[in-house]
Amino acid sequence: MNAESPPPLRARLSDVPLPALVLGLGGLIPFLAGAVAVWLFEPMAARVAQDMQVAYATVILSFLGAVHWGAALGRPDGARSWGWMGWSVTPALLAWFSVMMAPGSALMALMACYLAAFAVDMQAVKKGLLPLWYLSLRRVLTTGAFLCLGATLLRLG
């Protein structure tokens, strides 16, 4: 690594503060419940579970944008940054659009949005706008949400 290269983004899950870790992992329960339910329940109940999973995924996607809003407000000029503030509301708008889509399209859109939000979070951590431990947590939570939404999408197939 040369002197101009940024340090690698490495943090362990054990670096995540316990409340953030416990509450974050707990936030995967509705994703997992929805994925399991669509595979185990009869079709009508499975459809309700799928709709509930999509609704929850949109709420959490909005929350991911709100993390950036809050972080921006905590910096002297953060709220003056059109790029940062613009991104902070983008996940909520994308989530809103996704609830108006057909189920399969909504799931695919949400999966793509979760990956995009993770990519933005990686950049924010690299810039020092969010703590390094946040990336470790987001990696696990994004993977879990993505896999659960994907399992639901597979069931629709």
Side-chain angles (χ1 to χ4, degrees), residues 4-137:
E4 295 179 22
S5 297
L9 294 177
R10 297 186 206 277
R12 298 178 312 250
L13 208 52
S14 61
D15 296 330
V16 178
L18 189 59
L21 179 63
V22 171
L23 294 170
L25 292 174
L28 287 176
I29 293 170
F31 284 106
L32 185 59
V36 169
V38 298
W39 284 90
L40 297 181
F41 291 178
E42 52 90 15
M44 193 178 311
R47 176 59 196 257
V48 170
Q50 169 215 299
D51 289 345
M52 290 175 70
Q53 186 190 46
V54 166
Y56 182 71
T58 63
V59 169
I60 296 302
L61 187 60
S62 295
F63 177 84
L64 295 177
V67 166
H68 288 267
W69 181 278
L73 294 180
R75 298 208 175 243
D77 287 329
R80 297 189 198 306
S81 168
W82 283 100
W84 203 7
M85 295 301 287
W87 166 255
S88 74
V89 299
T90 299
L93 292 171
L94 295 172
W96 176 60
F97 284 124
S98 73
V99 298
M100 295 181 264
M101 296 177 176
S105 298
L107 290 163
M108 286 187 285
L110 288 164
M111 291 170 71
C113 288
Y114 273 81
L115 294 178
F118 182 73
V120 171
D121 286 345
M122 281 192 337
Q123 293 305 311
V125 169
K126 283 181 186 178
K127 293 176 181 177
L129 302 174
L130 294 171
L132 182 58
W133 63 259
Y134 184 67
L135 194 57
S136 296
L137 180 61

